[in-house]
Amino acid sequence: MNIQENFKQLVNKFKVAFEGLFFGLFNDSSIQLQFGLAFIVILLILWLPLSIIEVVILLLLIGLILALSIPAGAEHAQVLRERGIAPEPVYGGQLQDMAIPGVAPEGRVR
């Protein structure tokens, strides 16, 4: 591929990503809440005297939470009813709060 085709693909990927963000922002109350909380955290970052490392950590955590908070589609309705969560399209259901006997779970849902 040449540089122009690569650039067009990159622009298209960003376009699709922003369309997904705006869809979630206008159609999913969970993502609306998370964006609201992220906005409050960013305002606090600007107001509080935090070190650069603390600011970077907070921004990375905001990005991680928003990246893992993809709204479930109609194709996940059955899984959502059975398990209470829907797998993320890329990462799947990797963040588990259950494990096989003798193995510690990855985390706990609170």
Side-chain angles (χ1 to χ4, degrees):
M1 283 196 214
N2 62 33
I3 294 174
Q4 190 174 12
E5 289 176 13
N6 285 340
F7 182 73
K8 284 182 181 180
Q9 284 183 344
L10 181 64
V11 168
N12 189 47
K13 288 180 182 181
F14 273 97
K15 180 184 171 204
V16 170
F18 281 111
E19 285 174 358
L21 280 175
F22 288 127
F23 176 82
L25 187 58
F26 293 115
N27 297 302
D28 188 300
S29 60
S30 172
I31 291 181
Q32 291 168 352
L33 174 67
Q34 291 169 12
F35 268 98
L37 292 174
F39 182 72
I40 291 170
V41 168
I42 290 171
L43 289 178
L44 287 173
I45 287 172
L46 296 173
W47 183 59
L48 295 173
L50 300 175
S51 71
I52 296 295
I53 292 177
E54 292 169 326
V55 170
V56 169
I57 290 171
L58 286 171
L59 293 176
L60 287 173
L61 289 173
I62 289 171
L64 179 65
I65 290 169
L66 292 177
L68 292 176
S69 300
I70 308 298
E75 68 274 9
H76 294 113
Q78 181 66 28
V79 175
L80 196 56
R81 279 193 297 274
E82 290 174 2
R83 296 176 46 195
I85 61 165
E88 200 276 337
V90 175
Y91 303 111
Q94 292 182 6
L95 300 175
Q96 297 293 322
D97 61 347
M98 299 177 285
I100 60 173
V103 176
E106 293 176 343
R108 284 190 299 175
V109 177
R110 295 180 188 186

